[in-house]
Amino acid sequence: MARIGLKPGDPVFVRPDGTVDAGLLDFVLSHTFRNLERESKRNYSTDIRLLLDFLSSRNVEWRQATQQDLDDFRDWRCEAPENPERVGGTKWDREAAAFTKLFRWGEVRPLPVDISRREDRAADSVSSRVSWLTPRTWGLWSDVGLRGHIRGGIPEPGWDSRTEIRNTSFVQLVLSSALRRQEGGSLLVFEVPTQRLRHGRYCHGQIAGAVTRSKNSRVFYASVDAVGQVEAYVESERAWAVQRAQAGGRYERLPGMRLITRVTSGVKPKVEWVDRNGVVGGKELSRLGWRERQSLFLEGPEGPEPAYLWLTEQGLPMAPDRWNGVFRAANLRCERVLLSEKERTVTRDLRLTEVRGKSPYATPHSARHSAALYLLIVLNQLMETRFGLSQGERRDFALLFGDPWWLVKTVLGHADVETTKRHYLAPVAHLQLESILAMAETTDDGDEQVADLDGVFARLAKESAGIQDIDALLDRAAS
């Protein structure tokens, strides 16, 4: 495979007669497909395969596909009652993007589907992507799914906690910082923020542009508590994994190891290294993608150890998309503990709302959504209740520092504040947060402030779609 240019994980499309489709192989090897991120390659390949199966059932080659073929496929995927696995608008838009890329590369004219055309995009694609959990629901999800708790609030006997600190540390870091999965999942150990802000509750660090969606580096903020959990992971589970790997000689067998010799300081720090053949190299830290980062090592007290922060149990760098499996396993465990056997027999998509609401469901990206929502509510509370700003004063504050939407946009790394409103927070705009928060009682007691925020989130969850808040279940779990 390597001789023809295929990389590990690259797809190979096989025809029904068992032969490799040479045209699609050229597509996989093309600049168009090769530059996609690893997860995008996997997702697009899956989407294209479904379309190929559909076209094959009509004896239509993909290069001969028409707009009518794509309209029929879209109807089957999204609308047909006889299809038990219909998809929503967001999923269709991703599939349409994959098909558009393929047909443009293949110079199919006219384009059977074009994601840039409004009529080829789904009207419901924005809100369906939004998924939030309230802070206390994240606590329940973490306790049950990641810490192995049962309904009594204690770990289940025999719970295997070998990666508990790693998993909970990652979740708390993403919840605190609103980083994307790839951004938080590709940090190096010396990129964990250590410099505290003036009042000491948050630290700030720098995210490399190469691991962001925009390819622009930016500052990120993480709470001291979240950073402390990451440091505890580094000193415990991670250190043990490194020791076992060193003892087993795993690092000695890695051919692509690059031992870091120096990390420069300044505005654009550079990482310098030497490989196993003695070849010296270097690159600007912000330009190192997650794959290159996995080959970087530091000289530790017992020999070389990965510079990559998140490691597997074997002590090897953990690819960012493997966090999907961690979240999936936690979701399944929440279902096993919190749902009855009969309730679990129905897939989540087909469950009744009251059944679905008994068990929290989270993804790495819903942690980012939740962090954005939490920040918006806190900022609104500060302006409305703590500072007691009038409408005019709030307008002056916004001119100086930006309104809550602009501040959340900055933290998320969006180029346009309208993107923040449209993709993350628009579903709660109708609630008039100012009025809700104005009714919330505020005191000088810190614990009461936290309880008050729980009340605000509880109300939002009752009146908004997409916000998970486990109320009665929490009460029963605590008793």
Side-chain angles (χ1 to χ4, degrees):
M1 292 296 183
R3 291 198 302 270
I4 62 175
L6 285 175
K7 298 180 180 179
D10 282 349
V12 175
F13 293 94
V14 180
R15 293 176 175 274
D17 62 5
T19 61
V20 174
D21 189 309
L24 290 171
L25 181 61
D26 289 340
F27 171 67
V28 171
L29 297 174
S30 70
H31 180 78
T32 298
F33 190 86
R34 185 182 292 273
N35 282 352
L36 294 175
E37 294 292 339
R38 174 176 169 177
E39 185 178 9
S40 296
K41 288 182 178 180
R42 184 175 65 246
N43 291 337
Y44 280 19
S45 301
T46 303
D47 298 338
I48 290 171
R49 179 181 62 82
L50 291 172
L51 176 63
L52 293 174
D53 287 342
F54 177 81
L55 295 175
S56 177
S57 69
R58 296 184 162 195
N59 294 318
V60 174
E61 290 286 331
W62 67 268
R63 290 183 184 273
Q64 279 72 53
T66 66
Q67 184 173 348
Q68 184 63 55
D69 291 321
L70 269 294
D71 287 345
D72 292 344
F73 180 71
R74 178 179 180 178
D75 181 72
W76 167 256
R77 291 290 285 155
C78 303
E79 304 293 342
E82 60 272 23
N83 180 6
E85 298 181 352
R86 294 187 297 273
V87 300
T90 298
K91 181 64 167 63
W92 168 255
D93 279 0
R94 192 191 78 184
E95 294 182 6
F99 306 152
T100 301
K101 193 173 290 290
L102 172 64
F103 290 132
R104 280 180 176 165
W105 172 85
E107 298 182 347
V108 178
R109 297 291 184 271
L111 282 176
V113 62
D114 186 352
I115 192 61
S116 66
R117 294 194 298 244
R118 177 177 298 180
E119 60 269 25
D120 287 346
R121 298 195 303 269
D124 62 338
S125 62
V126 173
S127 61
S128 62
R129 294 187 64 232
V130 178
S131 175
W132 295 316
L133 282 71
T134 64
R136 60 181 178 178
T137 307
W138 274 110
L140 176 67
W141 183 85
S142 296
D143 286 343
V144 176
L146 299 179
R147 297 189 176 95
H149 288 194
I150 54 179
R151 283 182 176 269
I154 58 175
E156 183 177 23
W159 167 249
D160 185 355
S161 61
R162 290 177 299 179
T163 58
E164 178 182 314
I165 301 177
R166 181 198 69 186
N167 297 343
T168 54
S169 299
F170 177 82
V171 170
Q172 288 305 311
L173 177 66
V174 176
L175 273 174
S176 169
S177 61
L179 293 175
R180 292 185 177 90
R181 182 197 60 195
Q182 182 165 289
E183 293 169 348
S186 58
L187 289 171
L188 302 177
V189 287
F190 50 81
E191 290 179 311
V192 176
T194 56
Q195 187 173 357
R196 295 192 179 191
L197 299 179
R198 184 173 59 182
H199 296 291
R201 295 182 60 185
Y202 276 80
C203 300
H204 63 91
Q206 192 83 7
I207 281 292
V211 301
T212 67
R213 183 171 294 176
S214 66
K215 303 306 177 187
N216 294 317
S217 60
R218 71 176 190 275
V219 174
F220 74 97
Y221 305 90
S223 71
V224 171
D225 289 342
V227 172
Q229 290 190 48
V230 173
E231 292 174 344
Y233 157 67
V234 171
E235 295 172 1
S236 56
E237 281 182 1
R238 188 183 187 279
W240 301 331
V242 168
Q243 290 174 5
R244 291 194 298 270
Q246 289 173 332
R250 291 193 185 100
Y251 301 147
E252 298 173 4
R253 297 191 292 270
L254 295 177
M257 177 191 293
R258 293 171 170 177
L259 187 63
I260 295 177
T261 56
R262 182 180 176 222
V263 180
T264 66
S265 57
V267 178
K268 295 182 178 181
K270 181 180 178 181
V271 178
E272 298 175 354
W273 63 71
V274 59
D275 66 16
R276 287 196 178 279
N277 298 319
V279 178
V280 175
K283 198 169 188 178
E284 187 178 319
L285 179 61
S286 183
R287 295 175 58 198
L288 287 170
W290 68 267
R291 291 182 182 83
E292 292 178 292
R293 289 162 171 260
Q294 291 192 329
S295 66
L296 297 177
F297 280 70
L298 295 166
E299 189 63 62
E302 303 299 327
E305 57 186 60
Y308 209 80
L309 175 60
W310 308 106
L311 304 181
T312 65
E313 289 184 72
Q314 292 72 37
L316 299 175
M318 182 173 171
D321 56 12
R322 288 194 60 178
W323 286 108
N324 289 352
V326 173
F327 278 71
R328 189 179 305 113
N331 291 331
L332 292 174
R333 190 174 191 287
C334 285
E335 292 183 357
R336 182 171 67 81
V337 172
L338 301 174
L339 299 182
S340 67
E341 184 176 352
K342 182 179 179 181
E343 290 169 336
R344 294 198 303 272
T345 59
V346 181
T347 61
R348 178 174 175 82
D349 292 341
L350 300 179
R351 288 175 191 154
L352 297 175
T353 302
E354 56 267 26
V355 174
R356 192 182 307 165
K358 291 181 181 180
S359 178
Y361 180 89
T363 65
H365 212 63
S366 61
R368 177 171 161 86
H369 290 309
S370 300
L373 178 63
Y374 180 82
L375 181 58
L376 177 74
I377 289 179
V378 169
L379 289 171
N380 271 282
Q381 187 183 49
L382 288 174
M383 288 187 177
E384 295 289 340
T385 63
R386 179 70 66 82
F387 297 154
L389 300 181
S390 66
Q391 186 174 359
E393 290 169 336
R394 180 167 177 165
R395 186 165 51 249
D396 293 340
F397 183 93
L399 288 174
L400 287 172
F401 303 105
D403 64 13
W405 293 101
W406 187 89
L407 294 172
V408 173
K409 163 255 182 191
T410 302
V411 169
L412 292 173
H414 288 162
D416 184 2
V417 70
E418 293 304 317
T419 301
T420 308
K421 293 180 180 180
R422 184 172 66 252
H423 289 279
Y424 287 85
L425 307 172
V428 298
H430 71 283
L431 292 177
Q432 296 180 327
L433 287 175
E434 297 88 346
S435 299
I436 295 175
L437 294 169
M439 293 186 295
E441 296 179 1
T442 57
T443 69
D444 293 330
D445 184 80
D447 293 336
E448 292 187 22
Q449 287 286 346
V450 173
D452 180 54
L453 276 178
D454 282 340
V456 173
F457 275 109
R459 179 168 178 178
L460 285 174
K462 289 178 181 178
E463 300 186 22
S464 302
I467 303 179
Q468 301 177 49
D469 184 53
I470 312 298
D471 193 351
L473 192 59
L474 277 175
D475 295 338
R476 290 198 299 270
S479 62

